[in-house]
Amino acid sequence: MLVKDLYLDTIRYENSALAHYIYHLLAEKRISLDDDSIKIDLVRADLQKVEELIQKNVLCINKICIYSLKMNQKDFVFIFAASREEAIHFYKRTFPQPPLNCHEYSLDFQLTRGNDVISFREMRKEFDCFPAIAGWFEKY
């Protein structure tokens, strides 16, 4: 796998730490995008500089997950949020009661919407701000 492919994957899957390490090594010209990813040596990175990049979030990676919150025995709401705690807090503000439970789902989980199939990862692109309600599910 090329560095370019790994770098794109770290951004796509919101692996902030590794993405910032690769960014730093690219900026310092210790690797190139066309190198084999096996050449990545994280020990060669300046840890202090990488920590600064991560703290400043120069790549603007803000991980957003999807959570299923159980409303009652048959109704569930899906919420995009940065953390489980944020999803629960948003739920309590939106519906003045605590959820019965809260579980994280994979962003790659696919569901039917109308006549199409869509993943939560693709659906997330439709939202500009988080937390946000992605949808509802009623169990029969």
Side-chain angles (χ1 to χ4, degrees), residues 38-124:
I38 200 147
K39 288 189 173 185
I40 296 174
D41 183 1
L42 300 180
V43 176
R44 293 178 54 196
D46 182 330
L47 185 58
Q48 185 175 349
K49 285 184 180 178
V50 173
E51 285 177 2
E52 288 175 19
L53 292 171
I54 292 170
Q55 285 178 353
K56 291 179 183 174
N57 195 14
V58 298
L59 296 176
C60 299
I61 296 175
N62 299 308
K63 187 167 184 165
I64 298 295
C65 303
I66 185 73
Y67 297 91
S68 168
L69 293 95
K70 189 172 186 177
M71 304 176 81
N72 55 47
Q73 293 302 51
K74 65 177 190 163
D75 296 313
F76 299 81
V77 64
F78 289 98
I79 295 177
F80 286 115
S83 68
R84 181 179 188 276
E85 293 75 22
E86 184 180 66
I88 291 171
H89 180 72
F90 182 74
Y91 179 94
K92 288 178 182 178
R93 276 192 334 214
T94 307
F95 313 99
Q97 65 185 27
L100 298 176
N101 65 30
C102 177
H103 296 288
E104 182 176 352
Y105 270 61
S106 167
L107 288 172
D108 295 317
F109 183 83
Q110 293 186 332
L111 56 141
T112 303
R113 184 170 72 175
N115 293 329
D116 295 324
V117 175
I118 188 168
S119 71
F120 283 120
R121 186 176 307 283
E122 288 298 314
M123 188 185 296
R124 185 183 60 187

Coordinates of all heavy atoms in Angstrom, one line a residue, residues 38-124:
I38 N 5.3 0.9 4.1 CA 6.2 0.2 5.0 C 7.3 1.1 5.4 O 8.0 0.9 6.5 CB 6.7 -1.1 4.4 CG1 7.2 -2.1 5.5 CG2 7.7 -0.9 3.4 CD1 6.9 -3.5 5.3
K39 N 7.6 2.1 4.6 CA 8.7 3.1 4.9 C 8.3 4.0 6.1 O 9.2 4.8 6.5 CB 9.1 3.9 3.7 CG 9.8 3.1 2.6 CD 10.3 4.0 1.6 CE 11.2 3.2 0.6 NZ 11.8 4.1 -0.4
I40 N 7.1 4.1 6.5 CA 6.7 5.0 7.5 C 7.3 4.6 8.8 O 7.1 3.4 9.3 CB 5.2 5.1 7.6 CG1 4.5 5.7 6.4 CG2 4.8 5.9 8.9 CD1 3.0 5.7 6.3
D41 N 8.1 5.4 9.4 CA 8.8 5.1 10.7 C 8.4 6.2 11.6 O 8.9 7.3 11.6 CB 10.3 5.1 10.5 CG 11.0 4.7 11.8 OD1 10.4 4.5 12.8 OD2 12.3 4.7 11.7
L42 N 7.4 5.9 12.5 CA 6.8 6.9 13.4 C 7.9 7.4 14.4 O 7.8 8.5 14.9 CB 5.6 6.4 14.1 CG 4.4 6.0 13.2 CD1 3.3 5.5 14.0 CD2 4.0 7.2 12.3
V43 N 8.9 6.6 14.6 CA 10.0 7.0 15.5 C 10.8 8.2 15.0 O 11.3 9.0 15.8 CB 10.9 5.8 15.8 CG1 12.1 6.2 16.7 CG2 10.2 4.7 16.4
R44 N 10.8 8.4 13.7 CA 11.5 9.5 13.0 C 10.7 10.8 13.2 O 11.3 11.9 12.8 CB 11.8 9.2 11.6 CG 12.7 8.0 11.4 CD 13.0 7.7 10.0 NE 13.4 8.8 9.2 CZ 13.4 8.9 7.9 NH1 13.0 7.9 7.2 NH2 13.8 10.0 7.2
A45 N 9.5 10.7 13.6 CA 8.7 12.0 13.7 C 9.1 12.7 15.0 O 9.5 12.1 16.0 CB 7.2 11.6 13.8
D46 N 9.0 14.0 15.0 CA 9.2 14.9 16.1 C 7.9 14.9 16.9 O 6.9 15.5 16.6 CB 9.6 16.3 15.7 CG 9.9 17.2 16.8 OD1 9.3 17.0 17.9 OD2 10.7 18.2 16.6
L47 N 7.9 14.1 18.0 CA 6.7 13.9 18.8 C 6.1 15.2 19.3 O 4.9 15.4 19.2 CB 7.0 13.0 20.0 CG 5.8 12.6 20.9 CD1 4.8 11.9 20.1 CD2 6.3 11.8 22.1
Q48 N 6.9 16.2 19.7 CA 6.4 17.5 20.1 C 5.6 18.2 19.0 O 4.5 18.7 19.2 CB 7.5 18.3 20.7 CG 7.0 19.6 21.3 CD 8.1 20.5 21.9 OE1 9.2 20.0 22.1 NE2 7.8 21.7 22.2
K49 N 6.2 18.2 17.8 CA 5.6 18.8 16.7 C 4.3 18.1 16.3 O 3.3 18.8 16.0 CB 6.5 18.8 15.5 CG 7.6 19.9 15.6 CD 8.4 19.9 14.3 CE 9.6 20.9 14.4 NZ 10.4 20.9 13.2
V50 N 4.3 16.8 16.3 CA 3.1 16.0 16.0 C 2.0 16.3 17.0 O 0.8 16.5 16.7 CB 3.3 14.5 15.9 CG1 2.1 13.7 15.7 CG2 4.3 14.2 14.8
E51 N 2.3 16.4 18.3 CA 1.3 16.7 19.3 C 0.7 18.1 19.1 O -0.5 18.3 19.3 CB 2.0 16.6 20.7 CG 2.2 15.2 21.2 CD 2.9 15.1 22.6 OE1 3.2 16.2 23.2 OE2 3.2 14.0 23.0
E52 N 1.6 19.0 18.7 CA 1.1 20.4 18.4 C 0.1 20.3 17.2 O -1.0 21.0 17.3 CB 2.2 21.3 18.1 CG 3.0 21.7 19.3 CD 4.2 22.6 19.0 OE1 4.3 23.2 17.9 OE2 5.2 22.6 19.8
L53 N 0.4 19.6 16.2 CA -0.4 19.5 15.0 C -1.8 18.9 15.4 O -2.8 19.3 15.0 CB 0.2 18.6 14.0 CG 1.4 19.2 13.3 CD1 2.1 18.1 12.4 CD2 1.1 20.4 12.5
I54 N -1.7 17.8 16.3 CA -3.0 17.2 16.7 C -3.8 18.1 17.6 O -5.0 18.3 17.4 CB -2.7 15.9 17.5 CG1 -2.1 14.8 16.6 CG2 -3.9 15.3 18.2 CD1 -1.5 13.6 17.3
Q55 N -3.2 18.9 18.5 CA -3.9 19.8 19.3 C -4.5 20.9 18.5 O -5.6 21.3 18.8 CB -3.0 20.4 20.4 CG -2.7 19.4 21.5 CD -1.7 20.0 22.6 OE1 -1.2 21.1 22.4 NE2 -1.6 19.2 23.6
K56 N -3.8 21.4 17.5 CA -4.3 22.5 16.6 C -5.3 21.9 15.6 O -6.0 22.7 15.0 CB -3.2 23.2 15.9 CG -2.3 24.0 16.8 CD -1.2 24.7 16.0 CE -0.3 25.5 16.9 NZ 0.9 26.0 16.2
N57 N -5.3 20.6 15.5 CA -6.1 19.9 14.5 C -6.0 20.5 13.1 O -7.0 20.8 12.5 CB -7.6 19.9 15.0 CG -8.4 18.8 14.3 OD1 -7.9 18.0 13.6 ND2 -9.7 19.0 14.4
V58 N -4.8 20.6 12.6 CA -4.5 21.2 11.4 C -5.2 20.5 10.2 O -5.4 21.1 9.1 CB -3.0 21.4 11.1 CG1 -2.4 22.3 12.1 CG2 -2.3 20.1 11.0
L59 N -5.5 19.2 10.4 CA -6.2 18.5 9.3 C -7.7 18.5 9.5 O -8.4 18.0 8.6 CB -5.7 17.0 9.3 CG -4.2 16.8 9.0 CD1 -3.9 15.4 9.1 CD2 -3.9 17.4 7.6
C60 N -8.2 19.2 10.5 CA -9.6 19.4 10.7 C -10.4 18.1 10.8 O -11.5 17.9 10.2 CB -10.3 20.3 9.7 SG -9.6 21.9 9.7
I61 N -9.8 17.1 11.5 CA -10.4 15.8 11.7 C -11.2 15.8 13.0 O -10.7 15.9 14.0 CB -9.4 14.7 11.7 CG1 -8.7 14.6 10.3 CG2 -10.1 13.3 12.0 CD1 -7.6 13.6 10.2
N62 N -12.5 15.8 12.8 CA -13.4 15.8 14.0 C -14.3 14.5 13.9 O -15.2 14.5 13.1 CB -14.3 17.0 14.0 CG -13.5 18.3 14.1 OD1 -12.7 18.4 15.0 ND2 -13.7 19.2 13.2
K63 N -13.9 13.5 14.6 CA -14.5 12.2 14.5 C -16.0 12.3 15.0 O -16.3 12.8 16.0 CB -13.8 11.2 15.3 CG -14.4 9.8 15.1 CD -13.5 8.7 15.7 CE -14.2 7.4 15.3 NZ -13.3 6.3 15.5
I64 N -16.9 11.9 14.1 CA -18.3 11.8 14.4 C -18.7 10.3 14.2 O -18.4 9.7 13.2 CB -19.1 12.7 13.4 CG1 -18.7 14.2 13.5 CG2 -20.6 12.5 13.6 CD1 -19.0 14.8 14.9
C65 N -19.4 9.8 15.2 CA -19.9 8.5 15.3 C -21.4 8.4 15.2 O -22.0 9.5 15.2 CB -19.4 7.8 16.6 SG -17.7 7.8 16.8
I66 N -21.9 7.2 15.0 CA -23.4 7.1 15.0 C -23.8 6.2 16.2 O -23.2 5.2 16.4 CB -23.9 6.5 13.6 CG1 -25.4 6.5 13.6 CG2 -23.3 5.1 13.4 CD1 -26.1 7.8 13.4
Y67 N -24.9 6.7 16.9 CA -25.3 6.0 18.0 C -26.8 5.7 17.9 O -27.6 6.5 17.4 CB -25.1 6.8 19.3 CG -23.7 7.1 19.6 CD1 -23.0 8.2 19.0 CD2 -22.9 6.2 20.3 CE1 -21.7 8.5 19.2 CE2 -21.6 6.4 20.5 CZ -21.0 7.6 20.0 OH -19.6 7.8 20.2
S68 N -27.2 4.5 18.3 CA -28.6 4.1 18.4 C -29.1 4.3 19.9 O -28.5 3.7 20.8 CB -28.8 2.6 18.0 OG -30.1 2.2 18.3
L69 N -30.1 5.1 20.1 CA -30.6 5.3 21.4 C -32.0 4.8 21.5 O -32.9 5.2 20.7 CB -30.6 6.8 21.8 CG -29.1 7.3 21.9 CD1 -28.7 8.0 20.6 CD2 -29.0 8.3 23.0
K70 N -32.3 3.9 22.4 CA -33.6 3.3 22.6 C -34.5 4.2 23.3 O -34.3 4.6 24.4 CB -33.4 1.9 23.3 CG -34.6 1.1 23.3 CD -34.3 -0.3 23.9 CE -35.5 -1.2 23.8 NZ -35.2 -2.5 24.3
M71 N -35.6 4.5 22.7 CA -36.6 5.4 23.2 C -37.7 4.7 24.1 O -38.0 5.1 25.2 CB -37.4 6.2 22.1 CG -36.4 6.9 21.2 SD -37.3 7.7 19.8 CE -37.9 9.2 20.7
N72 N -38.1 3.5 23.6 CA -39.0 2.6 24.3 C -38.8 1.3 23.7 O -37.9 1.0 23.0 CB -40.5 3.2 24.2 CG -40.9 3.4 22.7 OD1 -40.7 2.5 21.9 ND2 -41.5 4.5 22.4
Q73 N -39.8 0.3 24.0 CA -39.6 -1.0 23.6 C -39.5 -1.2 22.0 O -39.0 -2.2 21.6 CB -40.7 -1.9 24.2 CG -40.6 -2.1 25.7 CD -39.3 -2.6 26.1 OE1 -38.2 -2.1 25.8 NE2 -39.3 -3.6 27.0
K74 N -40.1 -0.3 21.3 CA -40.1 -0.5 19.8 C -39.4 0.6 19.0 O -39.2 0.5 17.8 CB -41.5 -0.8 19.3 CG -42.4 0.3 19.5 CD -43.8 0.0 18.9 CE -44.7 1.2 18.9 NZ -45.8 1.1 18.0
D75 N -39.2 1.8 19.6 CA -38.6 2.9 18.9 C -37.2 3.3 19.2 O -36.8 3.3 20.4 CB -39.5 4.2 19.2 CG -40.9 4.0 18.7 OD1 -41.1 3.5 17.5 OD2 -41.9 4.3 19.4
F76 N -36.4 3.5 18.2 CA -35.0 3.9 18.3 C -34.8 5.2 17.5 O -35.4 5.3 16.5 CB -34.1 2.8 17.8 CG -34.3 1.5 18.5 CD1 -35.3 0.6 18.2 CD2 -33.4 1.1 19.5 CE1 -35.5 -0.6 18.9 CE2 -33.5 -0.1 20.2 CZ -34.6 -0.9 19.9
V77 N -33.8 6.0 18.0 CA -33.4 7.1 17.2 C -31.9 7.0 17.0 O -31.2 6.6 17.9 CB -33.8 8.5 17.9 CG1 -33.1 8.6 19.2 CG2 -33.5 9.7 17.0
F78 N -31.4 7.3 15.8 CA -30.0 7.3 15.5 C -29.5 8.8 15.5 O -30.1 9.7 14.9 CB -29.7 6.7 14.1 CG -30.0 5.2 14.0 CD1 -31.2 4.7 13.6 CD2 -29.0 4.4 14.5 CE1 -31.4 3.4 13.6 CE2 -29.2 3.0 14.4 CZ -30.4 2.5 14.0
I79 N -28.4 9.0 16.2 CA -27.8 10.3 16.4 C -26.4 10.3 16.1 O -25.6 9.4 16.5 CB -28.0 10.8 17.9 CG1 -29.5 10.9 18.2 CG2 -27.3 12.1 18.1 CD1 -29.8 11.3 19.6
F80 N -26.0 11.2 15.2 CA -24.6 11.5 14.9 C -24.0 12.4 16.0 O -24.6 13.4 16.3 CB -24.4 12.2 13.6 CG -24.6 11.4 12.4 CD1 -25.7 11.6 11.5 CD2 -23.8 10.3 12.1 CE1 -25.9 10.8 10.4 CE2 -23.9 9.5 10.9 CZ -25.0 9.8 10.1
A81 N -22.9 12.0 16.6 CA -22.3 12.8 17.7 C -20.8 12.4 17.8 O -20.4 11.3 17.3 CB -23.0 12.5 19.0
A82 N -20.1 13.3 18.5 CA -18.6 13.0 18.7 C -18.4 12.0 19.8 O -17.3 11.4 19.7 CB -18.0 14.3 19.1
S83 N -19.3 11.7 20.7 CA -19.1 10.8 21.7 C -20.5 10.2 22.2 O -21.5 10.8 21.9 CB -18.4 11.4 22.9 OG -19.2 12.3 23.6
R84 N -20.4 9.1 22.9 CA -21.6 8.5 23.5 C -22.3 9.5 24.4 O -23.5 9.7 24.4 CB -21.2 7.3 24.3 CG -22.3 6.5 24.9 CD -21.8 5.2 25.6 NE -22.9 4.4 26.0 CZ -23.5 4.6 27.2 NH1 -23.2 5.6 28.0 NH2 -24.5 3.8 27.5
E85 N -21.5 10.2 25.2 CA -22.0 11.2 26.2 C -22.7 12.3 25.5 O -23.7 12.8 25.9 CB -20.9 11.7 27.1 CG -20.3 10.7 28.0 CD -19.3 9.7 27.4 OE1 -18.8 10.0 26.3 OE2 -19.2 8.6 27.9
E86 N -22.1 12.8 24.4 CA -22.7 13.9 23.6 C -24.0 13.4 23.0 O -25.0 14.2 23.0 CB -21.8 14.4 22.5 CG -22.3 15.6 21.8 CD -21.4 16.0 20.7 OE1 -21.2 15.3 19.7 OE2 -20.9 17.2 20.8
A87 N -24.1 12.2 22.5 CA -25.3 11.7 22.0 C -26.4 11.6 23.0 O -27.6 12.0 22.8 CB -25.1 10.3 21.4
I88 N -26.1 11.1 24.2 CA -27.1 11.0 25.3 C -27.5 12.4 25.7 O -28.7 12.6 25.9 CB -26.5 10.2 26.5 CG1 -26.3 8.7 26.1 CG2 -27.4 10.3 27.7 CD1 -25.6 7.9 27.1
H89 N -26.6 13.3 25.9 CA -27.0 14.7 26.3 C -27.9 15.3 25.2 O -28.9 16.0 25.6 CB -25.7 15.5 26.4 CG -26.0 16.9 26.8 ND1 -26.4 17.3 28.1 CD2 -25.9 18.1 26.2 CE1 -26.6 18.6 28.2 NE2 -26.2 19.1 27.0
F90 N -27.6 15.2 23.9 CA -28.4 15.7 22.9 C -29.8 15.0 22.9 O -30.8 15.7 22.7 CB -27.8 15.4 21.5 CG -28.5 16.0 20.3 CD1 -28.6 17.4 20.1 CD2 -29.2 15.1 19.5 CE1 -29.3 17.9 19.0 CE2 -29.9 15.6 18.4 CZ -29.9 17.0 18.2
Y91 N -29.9 13.8 23.1 CA -31.1 13.0 23.2 C -32.0 13.6 24.4 O -33.2 13.9 24.2 CB -30.9 11.6 23.5 CG -32.1 10.7 23.6 CD1 -32.7 10.1 22.5 CD2 -32.8 10.6 24.9 CE1 -33.9 9.3 22.7 CE2 -33.9 9.9 25.0 CZ -34.5 9.2 23.9 OH -35.6 8.5 24.0
K92 N -31.4 13.8 25.5 CA -32.1 14.3 26.7 C -32.6 15.8 26.5 O -33.7 16.1 27.0 CB -31.2 14.3 28.0 CG -30.9 13.0 28.5 CD -30.0 13.1 29.7 CE -29.6 11.7 30.3 NZ -28.7 11.9 31.4
R93 N -31.8 16.6 25.7 CA -32.3 17.9 25.4 C -33.5 17.9 24.4 O -34.4 18.7 24.4 CB -31.2 18.7 24.8 CG -30.3 19.4 25.8 CD -29.3 20.4 25.1 NE -29.1 20.0 23.7 CZ -28.0 20.2 23.0 NH1 -27.0 20.8 23.6 NH2 -27.9 19.9 21.7
T94 N -33.4 17.0 23.5 CA -34.4 16.9 22.4 C -35.7 16.2 22.9 O -36.8 16.6 22.6 CB -33.8 16.1 21.2 OG1 -32.6 16.7 20.8 CG2 -34.8 16.1 20.0
F95 N -35.5 15.1 23.6 CA -36.7 14.4 24.2 C -36.5 14.4 25.7 O -35.5 13.8 26.2 CB -36.6 12.9 23.7 CG -36.4 12.8 22.3 CD1 -35.2 12.5 21.7 CD2 -37.5 13.0 21.4 CE1 -35.0 12.3 20.4 CE2 -37.3 12.8 20.0 CZ -36.0 12.5 19.5
P96 N -37.3 15.1 26.4 CA -37.0 15.3 27.9 C -37.1 14.1 28.7 O -37.9 14.0 29.6 CB -38.0 16.4 28.3 CG -39.0 16.4 27.2 CD -38.5 15.8 26.0
Q97 N -36.3 13.1 28.4 CA -36.2 11.9 29.2 C -34.9 11.2 28.8 O -34.4 11.4 27.7 CB -37.4 10.9 28.9 CG -37.4 10.4 27.5 CD -38.7 9.6 27.2 OE1 -39.7 9.8 27.8 NE2 -38.6 8.7 26.2
P98 N -34.3 10.4 29.7 CA -33.1 9.6 29.3 C -33.4 8.5 28.4 O -34.5 7.9 28.4 CB -32.6 9.2 30.6 CG -33.8 9.1 31.5 CD -34.7 10.1 31.0
P99 N -32.5 8.1 27.5 CA -32.7 6.9 26.7 C -32.6 5.6 27.5 O -32.0 5.6 28.5 CB -31.6 7.0 25.6 CG -30.5 7.7 26.3 CD -31.2 8.7 27.2
L100 N -33.2 4.6 27.0 CA -33.1 3.3 27.7 C -31.8 2.7 27.6 O -31.3 2.0 28.5 CB -34.2 2.3 27.2 CG -35.7 2.8 27.5 CD1 -36.6 1.8 26.8 CD2 -35.9 2.9 28.9
N101 N -31.1 2.9 26.4 CA -29.7 2.5 26.2 C -29.1 3.3 25.1 O -29.9 4.0 24.4 CB -29.6 1.0 26.0 CG -30.3 0.5 24.7 OD1 -30.4 1.2 23.7 ND2 -30.8 -0.7 24.8
C102 N -27.9 3.1 24.9 CA -27.1 3.8 23.8 C -26.0 2.9 23.3 O -25.2 2.5 24.1 CB -26.6 5.1 24.3 SG -25.6 6.1 23.1
H103 N -26.0 2.6 22.0 CA -25.0 1.7 21.4 C -24.4 2.4 20.2 O -25.2 3.0 19.3 CB -25.6 0.4 21.0 CG -26.1 -0.4 22.2 ND1 -25.3 -1.0 23.1 CD2 -27.4 -0.7 22.6 CE1 -26.1 -1.6 24.0 NE2 -27.3 -1.4 23.7
E104 N -23.1 2.3 20.0 CA -22.5 2.8 18.8 C -22.6 1.8 17.7 O -22.4 0.6 17.9 CB -21.0 3.1 19.1 CG -20.3 3.7 17.9 CD -18.8 4.1 18.2 OE1 -18.4 4.0 19.4 OE2 -18.1 4.4 17.3
Y105 N -22.9 2.3 16.5 CA -22.9 1.5 15.3 C -21.7 1.8 14.4 O -21.1 2.9 14.5 CB -24.2 1.8 14.5 CG -25.4 0.9 14.9 CD1 -25.9 1.0 16.1 CD2 -26.0 0.1 13.9 CE1 -27.0 0.2 16.5 CE2 -27.1 -0.7 14.2 CZ -27.6 -0.6 15.5 OH -28.7 -1.4 15.8
S106 N -21.4 0.9 13.5 CA -20.4 1.2 12.5 C -20.9 2.2 11.5 O -22.0 2.1 11.1 CB -20.0 -0.1 11.8 OG -19.2 0.2 10.7
L107 N -20.1 3.2 11.1 CA -20.4 4.1 10.1 C -20.6 3.4 8.8 O -21.3 3.9 7.9 CB -19.4 5.2 10.0 CG -19.4 6.2 11.1 CD1 -18.2 7.2 11.0 CD2 -20.7 7.0 11.2
D108 N -20.1 2.2 8.6 CA -20.2 1.5 7.4 C -21.5 0.6 7.3 O -21.7 -0.1 6.4 CB -19.0 0.6 7.1 CG -17.7 1.5 6.9 OD1 -17.9 2.5 6.2 OD2 -16.7 1.2 7.5
F109 N -22.2 0.6 8.4 CA -23.5 -0.1 8.5 C -24.4 0.4 7.4 O -24.6 1.6 7.3 CB -24.1 0.0 9.9 CG -25.4 -0.8 10.0 CD1 -25.4 -2.1 10.3 CD2 -26.7 -0.2 9.8 CE1 -26.6 -2.9 10.5 CE2 -27.8 -0.9 10.0 CZ -27.8 -2.2 10.3
Q110 N -25.0 -0.5 6.6 CA -25.9 0.0 5.5 C -27.3 -0.3 5.9 O -27.7 -1.3 6.5 CB -25.5 -0.8 4.2 CG -24.2 -0.4 3.7 CD -23.9 -1.0 2.3 OE1 -24.5 -2.1 2.0 NE2 -23.1 -0.4 1.5
L111 N -28.2 0.7 5.5 CA -29.6 0.5 5.7 C -30.4 1.0 4.5 O -29.8 1.7 3.6 CB -30.0 1.4 7.0 CG -29.7 2.8 6.9 CD1 -30.8 3.6 7.5 CD2 -28.4 3.1 7.7
T112 N -31.6 0.6 4.4 CA -32.5 0.9 3.3 C -33.1 2.3 3.6 O -33.7 2.5 4.7 CB -33.5 -0.1 3.1 OG1 -32.9 -1.4 2.9 CG2 -34.4 0.2 1.9
R113 N -33.1 3.2 2.7 CA -33.7 4.5 2.8 C -34.5 4.7 1.5 O -33.9 4.9 0.4 CB -32.7 5.6 3.0 CG -33.4 6.9 3.2 CD -32.4 8.0 3.7 NE -31.5 8.4 2.6 CZ -30.6 9.4 2.7 NH1 -30.5 10.0 3.8 NH2 -29.9 9.6 1.6
G114 N -35.8 4.6 1.5 CA -36.6 4.6 0.3 C -36.3 3.4 -0.5 O -36.4 2.2 0.0
N115 N -35.9 3.6 -1.8 CA -35.6 2.4 -2.6 C -34.1 2.2 -2.7 O -33.6 1.4 -3.5 CB -36.1 2.7 -4.0 CG -37.6 2.6 -4.0 OD1 -38.2 1.9 -3.3 ND2 -38.2 3.4 -4.9
D116 N -33.3 3.0 -1.9 CA -31.8 2.9 -2.0 C -31.2 2.3 -0.7 O -31.9 2.2 0.3 CB -31.2 4.3 -2.2 CG -31.6 4.9 -3.5 OD1 -31.7 4.2 -4.5 OD2 -31.8 6.2 -3.6
V117 N -30.0 1.9 -0.8 CA -29.2 1.5 0.3 C -28.1 2.6 0.5 O -27.5 3.0 -0.4 CB -28.6 0.1 0.0 CG1 -27.7 -0.3 1.2 CG2 -29.6 -0.9 -0.2
I118 N -28.0 3.0 1.8 CA -27.0 4.0 2.1 C -26.3 3.6 3.4 O -26.9 3.0 4.3 CB -27.6 5.4 2.2 CG1 -26.6 6.5 2.4 CG2 -28.7 5.4 3.4 CD1 -27.2 7.9 2.2
S119 N -25.0 4.0 3.5 CA -24.3 3.7 4.8 C -24.4 5.0 5.7 O -24.6 6.1 5.2 CB -22.8 3.4 4.5 OG -22.1 4.6 4.1
F120 N -24.2 4.8 7.0 CA -24.2 6.0 7.8 C -23.1 6.9 7.5 O -23.2 8.1 7.6 CB -24.1 5.5 9.3 CG -25.3 5.0 9.9 CD1 -25.4 3.7 10.4 CD2 -26.5 5.8 10.0 CE1 -26.6 3.2 11.0 CE2 -27.6 5.3 10.5 CZ -27.7 4.0 11.0
R121 N -21.9 6.4 7.0 CA -20.8 7.2 6.5 C -21.2 8.2 5.4 O -20.9 9.3 5.4 CB -19.6 6.4 6.1 CG -18.4 7.1 5.8 CD -17.2 6.2 5.4 NE -16.9 5.2 6.4 CZ -16.3 5.4 7.6 NH1 -15.9 6.6 7.9 NH2 -16.1 4.4 8.4
E122 N -22.0 7.6 4.4 CA -22.5 8.4 3.3 C -23.5 9.4 3.8 O -23.6 10.6 3.4 CB -23.0 7.6 2.2 CG -21.9 6.8 1.4 CD -21.0 7.8 0.7 OE1 -21.4 8.7 0.1 OE2 -19.8 7.5 0.8
M123 N -24.4 9.0 4.7 CA -25.5 9.8 5.2 C -24.9 11.0 6.0 O -25.5 12.1 5.9 CB -26.4 9.0 6.1 CG -27.7 9.7 6.6 SD -28.6 8.7 7.7 CE -29.1 7.3 6.7
R124 N -23.8 10.8 6.7 CA -23.2 11.8 7.5 C -22.8 13.0 6.7 O -22.9 14.2 7.2 CB -22.0 11.3 8.3 CG -21.4 12.3 9.2 CD -20.2 11.7 9.9 NE -19.2 11.4 8.9 CZ -18.1 10.8 9.1 NH1 -17.8 10.4 10.3 NH2 -17.2 10.5 8.1

